[in-house]
Amino acid sequence: MASAPSANAYPINTGDYLWKSHIAGAIEGFQSRRWEDSSYSEVIFIDCDDANSVTVQMRMDVNNAPDKGYDKKTFTACFDVDAGLRSQGEWSDLPDTSTNSSEYYFQLTDIGGASQVEVTSVCVDNTADDYPPRHAGNGC
């Protein structure tokens, strides 16, 4: 069994995000809300609890066909006060969904060390123009 690459964890730009939310009591298989994208998506978890890692997979919701899965990222820094309680995964070169009826979402595929996970802040960004990241405050 191959292990998933670690997700990046570094300060994030607190500017505009496609959406912000939280996760309460999610189990493996949890799916986020959907969004359209044109090539890049970034998922940020801030302040995770109840586990020691969580693996996130980017997926495309395809009408009348099986959903398509992309790379998995393992978030650990959002559980670690010394790492700033922030984990971030980026996916690039994604197919454009604005010209068809598909949408993206992320799915939790593994929760390490627990049966569920809590995430205080979840942010989704679909613009790569904030990379490299600028200084961030607390939260998204």
Side-chain angles (χ1 to χ4, degrees):
M1 176 185 237
S3 66
S6 293
N8 294 326
Y10 50 79
I12 57 173
N13 178 13
T14 58
D16 297 327
Y17 290 95
L18 191 57
W19 56 266
K20 301 176 192 178
S21 190
H22 69 279
I23 296 174
I27 61 172
E28 290 177 7
F30 168 87
Q31 297 179 359
S32 71
R33 69 175 76 167
R34 272 61 170 159
W35 67 91
E36 289 185 354
D37 204 337
S38 60
S39 71
Y40 173 89
S41 278
E42 175 179 45
V43 176
I44 301 154
F45 283 9
I46 298 174
D47 193 9
C48 300
D49 199 13
D50 292 342
N52 55 39
S53 68
V54 61
T55 302
V56 178
Q57 182 180 34
M58 183 65 60
R59 298 194 50 87
M60 181 191 290
D61 187 350
V62 181
N63 288 334
N64 301 319
D67 291 354
K68 182 171 171 81
Y70 297 91
D71 290 344
K72 295 178 182 180
K73 313 284 183 178
T74 300
F75 290 7
T76 57
C78 63
F79 297 92
D80 185 354
V81 172
D82 293 335
L85 296 174
R86 299 173 193 265
S87 290
Q88 177 172 329
E90 298 174 313
W91 291 263
S92 57
D93 300 323
L94 297 170
D96 187 348
T97 61
S98 64
T99 58
N100 60 39
S101 59
S102 299
E103 294 178 303
Y104 286 101
Y105 65 97
F106 65 82
Q107 183 169 6
L108 305 184
T109 62
D110 184 60
I111 298 170
S115 60
Q116 67 177 24
V117 67
E118 306 276 336
V119 183
T120 300
S121 295
V122 176
C123 303
V124 171
D125 183 7
N126 66 351
T127 59
D129 63 358
D130 59 350
Y131 188 81
R134 295 181 285 260
H135 177 71
N138 292 329
C140 300

